[in-house]
Amino acid sequence: MARDGFGRLRRATPDVRRGFGSEAGAVGLQRARIPILELGRLLRAALPQFIDLKTTVHAPLPVIHADPTLIQQVIMNLVTNARDALNARFTGYDDNKRIDIIGHAFERGGSTWVRISVSDHGGGVPDDVVARIFDPFFTTKGRDQGTGLGLSVSHGIIRDHDGDLRLENHAGAGATFHVELPLMRRRKG
């Protein structure tokens, strides 16, 4: 049943095979507020019942110039990876089988940004693969479990929004991926 839910979510997102360049207009920008709480409810319905998903938003997130569908695709990918890491580390129920999504605004270089963090207790990323985590076709999963494109495409989407996708790794304990987006895109050229 959980697989069916993720399948529906994947079909609801745009075709990632179209690629993402750094050209102006590569993403369909609009003034949008990323609906973390609503997205959390949708994702929760698609997760196995023994994985707890908690969403927290510190004050209403400001409106940003972004393609909300692409940002939701990134969050969905990060949650899918967190689910896989948790299932690999814990078989069945465990109190640590939890995914946290936290959103808040912060200041960087005199500008307001939005940070959406996805955390899990799935054991983290092995130190010897951290440097390659965003490389296309790189995966730590089995051949039939992933293409190695999810984090690479997600990184490209966030980069095309003039943002950052960062890994905060705690090898052996868990990982947090931070999606950081400026309120306004920097002008290209």
Side-chain angles (χ1 to χ4, degrees):
M1 184 159 137
R3 286 177 119 34
D4 292 340
F6 273 104
R8 284 192 303 275
L9 285 170
R10 283 192 183 102
R11 287 188 298 276
T13 60
D15 184 0
V16 298
R17 291 172 293 179
R18 68 186 166 105
F20 302 96
S22 58
E23 303 167 11
V27 294
L29 298 179
Q30 56 185 287
R31 290 179 50 81
R33 191 179 314 270
I34 306 304
I36 294 176
L37 296 176
E38 292 81 3
L39 183 58
R41 284 192 284 276
L42 183 62
L43 290 167
R44 188 175 291 113
L47 288 171
Q49 69 183 40
F50 50 84
I51 293 181
D52 184 30
L53 177 69
K54 181 180 178 187
T55 54
T56 305
V57 177
H58 299 288
L61 293 180
V63 172
I64 62 174
H65 281 99
D67 182 325
T69 303
L70 291 177
I71 302 305
Q72 290 175 17
Q73 176 183 330
V74 169
I75 303 305
M76 184 185 77
N77 179 65
L78 297 175
V79 169
T80 300
N81 287 349
R83 176 204 63 193
D84 293 347
L86 288 169
N87 284 336
R89 184 172 187 194
F90 305 107
T91 57
Y93 175 82
D94 190 284
D95 284 340
N96 288 315
K97 210 165 184 178
R98 184 180 77 246
I99 300 170
D100 295 304
I101 303 175
I102 300 172
H104 65 94
F106 70 102
E107 295 293 318
R108 176 189 290 169
S111 298
T112 302
W113 289 58
V114 169
R115 178 180 294 136
I116 303 166
S117 302
V118 177
S119 301
D120 67 65
H121 299 278
V125 178
D127 287 333
D128 61 329
V129 301
V130 167
R132 299 174 54 202
I133 200 75
F134 297 116
D135 290 353
F137 303 107
F138 178 77
T139 183
T140 58
K141 299 176 185 177
R143 209 174 175 97
D144 60 339
Q145 296 176 322
T147 62
L149 288 173
L151 285 174
S152 176
V153 169
S154 294
H155 188 263
I157 289 170
I158 300 305
R159 183 191 62 232
D160 285 349
H161 282 78
D162 290 334
D164 296 314
L165 177 57
R166 297 186 302 104
L167 166 64
E168 180 183 331
N169 191 43
H170 305 284
T176 300
F177 283 87
H178 300 286
V179 174
E180 299 174 339
L181 298 163
L183 262 55
M184 300 292 294
R185 281 183 74 190
R186 295 180 293 269
R187 297 236 179 243
K188 302 283 185 191

